[in-house]
């Protein structure tokens, strides 16, 4: 399988994040992508290439230009405003209750992007746990180019291709970043497919978290189906979207499917959800499927609470490939660094119909039994 990778992700050099007001070791670190790259290189069955520059237009086809300008300038603003921080995190968010009783029209006039960088980050940010550093914008632009180059490979005839995107994307909405995501790589890819191929497309999101950004971007679109299997937002990020009764509006009515799962989800329970998701995709038109691929569903993931093992990723890859659509597979989350390479290798080999021989390394075999 062809893999698109760029070392430009290394510029998004994240060491710490904030969790509930306290600085903690970061989860979304450069080592993640390097682990996956190294494992796929060692496998020998993957052909690597670098992304090509696709410019800004495919980004603003999905995102507010104001978000792009904010992300581009945020680091230099932090510095020129003399805020002595090692990463940017917001000061104040426009919580919707601040405007209770005020009309949408009045709010549109009143709520403006402020000048102070902590306020600007609140205007465009979802949460305080998505650190932005000097190299973030360049890395996020490279991740978009990785996604769009992966689309090119599939439009040129590949049955499947994998984009090793970092930073990830599925929490980024049209006008908002967050959840370690800056530009929504999968949404930009899906939009590009509808524009270039002129056909409807579906997104299958198997990251542990609900892809609130992808759902928001295509909420009213009938030509982009979105289906996500994730932790119930009652207990997990992003908390305020991802419930089963969110099905889309307008032209998008019925084109959004959320499958929230309970803590401790097993391989068997997860595979049943995959079959439901693939059934939903099969009901819609299109020949290409974008996969938002996360491995934070793994049993040992530090921020997840499912109980999946590496061998289920091979099976999931096989079942997704059996959908008979060409696959644009884009990396999202997954934070248990020692297992990431094996999980990716298992999934992608499954998607190509190749067998998976696990390395004799330590791994997770079920909650309570680590060998
Ligand atoms: C792309 C992606 O996977 N983004 C995930 C963003 C999650 N942000 C919230 C992280 C909360 C960490 N909670 C730690 C709980 C430890 N028990
Ligand atoms: Zn995630």
């Amino acid at each position: 399988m062809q893999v698109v990778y760029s070392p430009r992700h290394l510029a998004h050099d994240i060491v710490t994040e904030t969790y509930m007001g306290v600085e903690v070791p970061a989860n979304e670190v450069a080592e993640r992508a390097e682990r996956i790259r190294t494992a796929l290189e060692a496998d020998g069955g993957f052909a690597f290439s670098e992304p090509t520059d696709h410019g800004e237009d495919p980004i603003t086809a999905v995102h507010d230009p104001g978000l792009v300008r904010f992300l581009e300038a945020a680091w230099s603003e932090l510095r020129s405003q003399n805020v002595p921080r090692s990463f940017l995190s917001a000061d104040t968010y426009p919580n919707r209750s601040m405007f209770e009783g005020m009309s949408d029209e009045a709010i549109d006039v009143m709520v403006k992007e402020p000048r102070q960088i902590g306020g600007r980050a609140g205007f465009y940010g979802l949460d305080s746990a998505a650190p932005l550093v000097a190299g973030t914008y360049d890395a996020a632009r490279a991740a978009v180019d990785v996604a769009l180059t992966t689309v090119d490979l599939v439009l040129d005839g590949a049955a499947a291709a994998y984009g090793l995107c970092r930073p990830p994307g599925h929490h980024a909405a049209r006008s908002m970043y967050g959840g370690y995501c800056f530009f929504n790589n999968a949404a930009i890819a899906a939009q590009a497919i509808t524009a270039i191929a002129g056909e409807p497309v579906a997104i299958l999101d198997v990251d542990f978290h609900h892809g609130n950004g992808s759902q928001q971007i295509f909420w009213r679109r009938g030509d982009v189906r979105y289906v996500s299997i994730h932790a119930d937002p009652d207990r997990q990020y992003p908390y305020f979207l991802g419930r089963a009764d969110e099905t889309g509006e307008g032209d998008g009515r019925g084109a959004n499917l959320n499958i929230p799962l309970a803590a401790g989800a097993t391989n068997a329970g997860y595979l049943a959800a995959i079959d439901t998701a693939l059934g939903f995709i099969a009901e819609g038109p299109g020949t290409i499927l974008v996969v938002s691929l996360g491995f934070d569903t793994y049993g040992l993931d530090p921020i997840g609470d499912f109980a999946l093992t590496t061998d289920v990723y091979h099976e999931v890859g096989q079942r997704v490939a059996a959908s008979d659509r060409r696959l644009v597979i884009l990396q999202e989350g997954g934070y248990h660094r020692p297992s990431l390479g094996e999980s990716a290798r298992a999934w992608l080999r499954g998607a190509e119909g190749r067998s998976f021989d696990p390395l004799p390394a330590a791994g997770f075999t079920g909650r309570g039994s680590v060998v």
Side-chain angles (χ1 to χ4, degrees), residues 19 168 170-171 179-181 207 209 237 296 302-303 333 335:
Y19 178 56
H170 73 154
H171 295 302
Y180 314 146
C181 304
D207 185 274
H209 302 95
Y237 186 92
D296 33 10
I303 69 173
Y335 307 100

Coordinates of all heavy atoms in Angstrom, one line a residue, residues 19 168 170-171 179-181 207 209 237 296 302-303 333 335, ligand 1:
Y19 N -4.8 19.7 31.2 CA -6.0 18.9 31.5 C -6.6 19.4 32.7 O -6.1 19.4 33.8 CB -5.6 17.4 31.6 CG -6.8 16.6 31.9 CD1 -7.9 16.6 31.0 CD2 -6.9 15.8 33.0 CE1 -9.0 15.8 31.3 CE2 -8.0 15.0 33.3 CZ -9.1 15.0 32.4 OH -10.2 14.2 32.7
P168 N -3.8 15.4 13.9 CA -5.1 14.9 13.4 C -6.1 16.0 13.1 O -5.7 17.2 13.2 CB -5.6 14.0 14.6 CG -4.9 14.6 15.8 CD -3.6 15.2 15.4
H170 N -10.2 15.5 13.1 CA -11.7 15.3 13.1 C -12.4 16.1 14.1 O -13.6 16.3 14.0 CB -12.1 13.8 13.1 CG -11.9 13.2 14.5 ND1 -12.6 12.1 14.9 CD2 -11.0 13.4 15.5 CE1 -12.2 11.7 16.1 NE2 -11.3 12.5 16.4
H171 N -11.7 16.8 15.1 CA -12.4 17.7 16.0 C -12.5 19.1 15.4 O -13.2 19.9 16.0 CB -11.7 17.7 17.3 CG -11.8 16.4 18.1 ND1 -13.0 15.7 18.4 CD2 -10.8 15.5 18.5 CE1 -12.7 14.6 19.0 NE2 -11.4 14.4 19.1
G179 N -9.2 19.7 20.4 CA -9.0 18.2 20.5 C -7.8 17.7 19.7 O -7.8 16.7 19.1
Y180 N -6.7 18.5 19.8 CA -5.4 18.2 19.1 C -5.5 18.4 17.6 O -4.5 18.1 16.9 CB -4.9 16.8 19.4 CG -4.9 16.3 20.8 CD1 -5.2 14.9 21.1 CD2 -4.6 17.1 21.9 CE1 -5.2 14.5 22.4 CE2 -4.7 16.7 23.2 CZ -4.9 15.3 23.4 OH -5.0 14.9 24.7
C181 N -6.6 19.0 17.1 CA -6.8 19.1 15.7 C -6.9 20.6 15.3 O -7.4 21.4 16.0 CB -8.2 18.5 15.3 SG -8.3 16.7 15.8
D207 N -12.0 6.6 15.1 CA -11.3 7.1 16.3 C -12.2 6.9 17.5 O -13.4 6.9 17.4 CB -11.0 8.6 16.1 CG -10.1 9.2 17.2 OD1 -10.6 9.6 18.2 OD2 -8.9 9.2 17.0
H209 N -12.9 9.0 19.8 CA -13.7 10.1 20.1 C -14.6 10.4 18.9 O -14.3 10.2 17.8 CB -12.8 11.3 20.4 CG -11.8 11.2 21.5 ND1 -10.5 10.7 21.3 CD2 -11.9 11.3 22.8 CE1 -9.9 10.7 22.4 NE2 -10.7 11.0 23.4
Y237 N -14.7 13.2 26.1 CA -14.6 14.2 25.1 C -15.1 13.8 23.7 O -15.0 12.6 23.4 CB -13.1 14.5 24.9 CG -12.7 15.7 24.1 CD1 -12.5 16.9 24.6 CD2 -12.5 15.5 22.7 CE1 -12.2 18.0 23.8 CE2 -12.2 16.6 21.9 CZ -12.0 17.8 22.5 OH -11.7 18.9 21.7
D296 N -7.0 5.1 19.5 CA -7.3 5.3 20.9 C -8.4 4.4 21.4 O -8.7 4.5 22.6 CB -7.5 6.8 21.2 CG -8.2 7.6 20.1 OD1 -8.6 6.9 19.1 OD2 -8.3 8.8 20.2
P302 N -4.0 5.6 26.9 CA -4.0 6.4 28.1 C -5.2 7.3 28.3 O -5.5 7.7 29.4 CB -2.7 7.2 28.1 CG -2.3 7.3 26.7 CD -2.8 6.0 26.1
I303 N -5.9 7.6 27.2 CA -7.1 8.5 27.3 C -8.4 7.8 26.9 O -9.4 8.4 27.0 CB -6.9 9.9 26.7 CG1 -6.9 9.8 25.1 CG2 -5.7 10.6 27.1 CD1 -6.9 11.2 24.5
G333 N -6.3 9.9 15.9 CA -5.7 9.7 17.2 C -5.1 8.4 17.5 O -4.9 7.5 16.6
Y335 N -2.9 7.0 21.3 CA -1.9 7.6 22.2 C -1.0 6.6 23.0 O -0.2 7.0 23.7 CB -2.6 8.6 23.1 CG -3.4 9.6 22.2 CD1 -4.7 9.4 22.1 CD2 -2.7 10.6 21.5 CE1 -5.5 10.3 21.3 CE2 -3.4 11.4 20.6 CZ -4.8 11.2 20.5 OH -5.5 12.1 19.7
Ligands
LIG1 C1 -7.8 13.3 17.8 C2 -8.1 12.9 19.2 O1 -8.0 11.8 19.5 N1 -8.3 13.9 20.0 C3 -8.6 13.6 21.4 C4 -8.8 14.9 22.2 C5 -9.0 14.5 23.6 N2 -8.9 15.7 24.4 C6 -9.3 15.5 25.8 C7 -8.2 14.7 26.5 C8 -8.7 14.4 27.9 C9 -7.7 13.5 28.6 N3 -8.3 12.9 29.7 C10 -7.3 12.2 30.5 C11 -8.1 11.3 31.4 C12 -7.1 10.4 32.1 N4 -7.8 9.5 33.0

